[in-house]
Amino acid sequence: MLLKILIIGFGGFLGTISRFLLQKVIQEQASSSFPWGTFAVNVLGSFIIGVVFALSVRHNYLSPMWRNFLAIGFCGGFTTFSSFSLDNYQLLAHNQVFYTILYTTISVISGLFFLYSGILAVRAIS
């Protein structure tokens, strides 16, 4: 179990550093206040987790160790949007359209609500 945690942690470390650097480079090149860096990282992370999913689950090309390193570790550190995308894909793959729409809707609305709640909480104690 310790080895698994270390492998995931190292993947997360690499994913986090990669996110920081890529997001920074892309945003610095953008001539807009639109968050192109975050958008690019989220889209790329979704692509990467799709490849990892296909190689490990569908084709058995990746061992569980590599799947943990790449999907949970690297993609988890790179972007949680990739996990969100995979969750939605798996719901759709099982014909759970209602749950896909529900999950997407409540995730986005809840995320914005709790983000704003956190801001208000800090303001209240400041």
Side-chain angles (χ1 to χ4, degrees), residues 28-84:
E28 286 175 353
Q29 298 300 315
S31 59
S32 167
S33 61
F34 185 83
W36 287 112
T38 301
F39 177 76
V41 164
N42 286 338
V43 171
L44 180 59
S46 295
F47 176 78
I48 293 170
I49 205 167
V51 169
V52 170
F53 175 76
L55 290 176
S56 60
V57 175
R58 300 243 170 159
H59 300 291
N60 291 320
Y61 290 138
L62 294 178
S63 69
M65 179 189 71
W66 277 105
R67 184 177 62 237
N68 289 334
F69 173 79
L70 292 169
I72 299 170
F74 183 84
C75 287
F78 194 65
T79 172
T80 57
F81 189 78
S82 57
S83 299
F84 174 74

